[in-house]
């Protein structure tokens, strides 16, 4: 197979149209698939055509640069070329949309959705108050809530603490109940 790919590339470099058609037939799905991963659906065909143009440009310069002789190496090489051209195409689409004003509305929406300093302060203050509430709990309940806030799942917490999952769930539930009672002033911390 490795001699076959090298021969196909060499025949393309010699300008044999049958070899070029064979290369397209063998690798068209790879090129289309790679392009589809990086550009909008409506741009895939145009982008794949740009890949073919780039491969033939300057007397097959990119094909001449390939020094490998195995099929997997050529697949990786062709995928990288397709990816780079697709990413370049995506950047130019975005620049065009921005110049046309399409993305400007989106940018304004994003700017409007930003938090102001007051919102950030209040969110930080609420988080600090919540951590203060957790500090008022006993150690067994505190450690479960802190691990949950750090993003651990209950199953992972059970493994970390070396206790059964049911125990972790029960402690977490009791801890939430205690915090609710503290917040409603039913019990004092």
């Amino acid at each position: 197979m490795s001699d076959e790919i090298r021969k196909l590339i060499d025949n393309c470099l010699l300008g044999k149209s049958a070899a070029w058609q064979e290369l397209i037939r063998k690798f068209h799905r790879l090129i289309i698939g790679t392009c589809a991963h990086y550009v909008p659906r409506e741009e895939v065909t145009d982008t794949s055509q740009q890949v073919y143009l780039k491969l033939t440009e300057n007397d097959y310069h990119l094909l001449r640069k390939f020094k490998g002789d195995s099929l997997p190496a050529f697949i990786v090489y062709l995928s990288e070329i397709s990816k780079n051209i697709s990413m370049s195409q995506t950047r130019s689409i975005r620049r065009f949309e921005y110049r046309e004003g399409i993305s400007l509305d989106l940018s304004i929406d994003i700017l409007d959705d930003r938090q102001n300093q007051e919102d950030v302060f209040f969110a930080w203050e609420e988080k600090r108050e919540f951590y203060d509430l957790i500090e008022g709990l006993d150690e067994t309940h505190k450690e479960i809530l802190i691990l949950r806030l750090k993003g651990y799942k209950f199953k992972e917490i059970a493994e970390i603490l070396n206790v059964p999952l049911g125990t972790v769930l029960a402690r977490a539930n009791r801890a939430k109940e205690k915090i609710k009672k503290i917040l409603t002033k039913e019990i004092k911390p």
Side-chain angles (χ1 to χ4, degrees):
M1 186 62 127
S2 58
D3 291 337
E4 187 179 318
I5 193 66
R6 187 75 253 168
K7 185 177 177 185
L8 181 63
I9 293 169
D10 290 342
N11 284 335
C12 285
L13 295 176
L14 292 173
K16 295 184 179 178
S17 63
W20 178 248
Q21 289 173 357
E22 179 68 13
L23 187 121
I24 291 172
R25 188 187 65 73
K26 280 188 172 190
F27 299 106
H28 182 69
R29 288 182 65 195
L30 172 73
I31 291 170
I32 288 285
T34 305
C35 293
H37 188 72
Y38 294 98
V39 297
R41 181 177 298 174
E42 59 274 2
E43 297 293 327
V44 171
T45 305
D46 290 343
T47 305
S48 66
Q49 293 302 314
Q50 287 182 355
V51 171
Y52 292 128
L53 286 172
K54 198 72 167 170
L55 287 172
T56 59
E57 192 174 84
N58 295 331
D59 196 31
Y60 299 96
H61 174 72
L62 288 176
L63 286 179
R64 285 184 198 287
K65 280 179 65 175
F66 178 68
K67 300 299 180 201
D69 60 358
S70 70
L71 181 62
F74 186 67
I75 288 172
V76 169
Y77 182 72
L78 200 54
S79 295
E80 283 299 309
I81 290 170
S82 300
K83 179 183 96 172
N84 291 337
I85 291 170
S86 297
M87 291 174 71
S88 176
Q89 177 71 5
T90 300
R91 283 190 295 273
S92 70
I93 289 169
R94 286 185 185 148
R95 280 193 300 268
F96 176 77
E97 286 177 351
Y98 184 76
R99 274 187 258 123
E100 293 296 313
I102 296 169
S103 293
L104 188 58
D105 292 337
L106 180 61
S107 299
I108 290 170
D109 290 343
I110 290 169
L111 290 173
D112 287 345
D113 290 341
R114 288 185 305 179
Q115 290 183 322
N116 60 32
Q117 288 181 347
E118 189 175 298
D119 292 338
V120 171
F121 173 77
F122 286 125
W124 176 82
E125 188 67 25
E126 285 175 1
K127 188 181 273 188
R128 189 183 60 75
E129 287 174 8
F130 187 70
Y131 275 102
D132 288 346
L133 285 173
I134 291 174
E135 284 299 317
L137 297 175
D138 57 280
E139 202 60 38
T140 57
H141 295 105
K142 183 178 5 178
E143 63 189 357
I144 290 173
L145 289 182
I146 289 173
L147 287 170
R148 279 295 285 167
L149 290 171
K150 288 185 176 182
Y152 289 99
K153 296 178 180 167
F154 287 118
K155 186 176 180 182
E156 295 170 327
I157 294 171
E159 291 170 5
I160 291 169
L161 299 177
N162 200 24
V163 294
L165 178 61
T167 304
V168 170
L169 293 171
R171 287 179 185 172
N173 196 36
R174 277 188 237 117
K176 286 192 292 187
E177 290 301 318
K178 285 183 178 183
I179 287 178
K180 284 180 187 176
K181 286 180 182 178
I182 292 171
L183 287 174
T184 57
K185 306 286 187 210
E186 289 181 11
I187 63 171
K188 295 185 181 190

